[in-house]
């Protein structure tokens, strides 16, 4: 339980009650927790938003974050990672304006990564990549189970996929 007490909980997350006993099992440096996301006040089950596992409970001295990842960090563990059954509730985006603000940052970050990898946008990327993102979110990851909210989320994510490629084009234009 010492590792649990030292775990910093995000202000926008809440945990269930069934996880504490399982965490006491030895042999793990961290625990993956299913995250139940609420977007714009809606519990969002499809589109890749649930169970959205996050490695969040970490044993002190046996886990660290990958220093190469500045956004959406990845945990590096010395031992195995356990998986909890009870989700924590994540109040992700309060409204569309907050979503737009964060997605602008994320799409710029992703465009920079593509630029650093030497990837140049092709004309078809401006159409096909947003369509691929929408299809992946709404069909493959079953965003349709959230109805109009799932459709809205799929379209929003497609919009920011387009923005990423437009920003990538701008990076290449300013580099030449």
């Amino acid at each position: 339980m010492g590792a649990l007490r030292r775990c910093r909980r995000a202000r926008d997350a809440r945990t269930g009650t069934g996880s504490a006993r399982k965490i006491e099992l030895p042999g793990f440096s961290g625990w993956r927790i299913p995250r139940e996301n609420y977007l714009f006040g809606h519990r969002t089950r499809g589109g890749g938003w649930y169970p959205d596992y996050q490695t969040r409970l970490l044993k002190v001295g046996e886990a660290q974050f990958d220093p190469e990842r500045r956004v959406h960090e990845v945990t590096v563990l010395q031992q195995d990672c356990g998986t909890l059954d009870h989700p924590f509730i994540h109040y992700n985006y309060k409204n569309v304006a907050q979503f737009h603000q964060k997605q602008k940052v994320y799409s710029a970050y992703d465009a920079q990564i593509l630029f650093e990898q030497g990837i140049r946008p092709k004309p078809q990327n401006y159409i096909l990549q947003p369509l691929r993102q929408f299809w992946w979110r709404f069909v493959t990851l079953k965003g349709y189970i959230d109805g109009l909210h799932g459709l809205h989320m799929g379209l929003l994510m497609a919009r920011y996929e387009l923005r990423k490629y437009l920003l990538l084009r701008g990076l290449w234009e300013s580099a030449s």
Side-chain angles (χ1 to χ4, degrees):
M1 285 299 285
L4 179 60
R5 275 190 231 109
R6 289 188 206 106
C7 179
R8 182 174 59 93
R9 188 177 76 194
R11 286 176 280 148
D12 56 357
R14 305 290 178 266
T15 57
T17 58
S19 301
R21 282 183 293 268
K22 190 170 183 178
I23 295 169
E24 294 175 351
L25 297 173
F28 297 106
S29 292
W31 291 88
R32 288 175 2 122
I33 308 169
R35 183 166 68 174
E36 189 172 271
N37 285 293
Y38 281 75
L39 309 170
F40 321 140
H42 298 274
R43 177 176 173 231
T44 308
R45 299 167 295 143
W49 299 99
Y50 181 80
D52 191 22
Y53 283 97
Q54 303 292 310
T55 304
R56 288 292 184 256
L57 293 175
L58 309 172
K59 195 169 186 180
V60 175
E62 293 189 14
Q64 64 184 15
F65 290 107
D66 182 349
E68 298 296 315
R69 293 288 300 256
R70 296 173 289 187
V71 176
H72 296 123
E73 60 276 335
V74 174
T75 310
V76 179
L77 304 173
Q78 290 179 7
Q79 295 186 55
D80 289 335
C81 186
T83 301
L84 299 178
D85 302 319
H86 300 282
F88 72 89
I89 309 302
H90 186 226
Y91 297 100
N92 206 327
Y93 301 106
K94 294 177 188 172
N95 52 50
V96 176
Q98 184 188 37
F99 179 84
H100 286 310
Q101 180 183 14
K102 287 202 175 189
Q103 291 304 313
K104 285 179 182 179
V105 172
Y106 296 151
S107 57
Y109 174 75
D110 290 342
Q112 184 65 40
I113 289 173
L114 293 176
F115 179 73
E116 289 170 3
Q117 293 173 344
I119 295 172
R120 292 180 179 267
K122 297 176 179 78
Q124 64 267 25
N125 292 142
Y126 306 111
I127 295 169
L128 296 179
Q129 293 303 328
L131 285 174
R132 182 194 59 81
Q133 179 69 216
F134 175 78
W135 184 267
W136 182 61
R137 291 281 181 173
F138 193 70
V139 178
T140 305
L141 298 178
K142 300 179 183 176
Y144 58 82
I145 67 173
D146 294 312
L148 289 176
H149 175 65
L151 176 65
H152 187 213
M153 293 308 303
L155 291 170
L156 285 172
M157 295 304 290
R159 173 184 179 176
Y160 282 98
E161 191 70 10
L162 172 61
R163 183 177 192 279
K164 175 175 72 177
Y165 279 89
L166 292 172
L167 291 170
L168 178 59
R169 179 180 70 192
L171 289 170
W172 282 107
E173 286 172 355
S174 62
S176 53

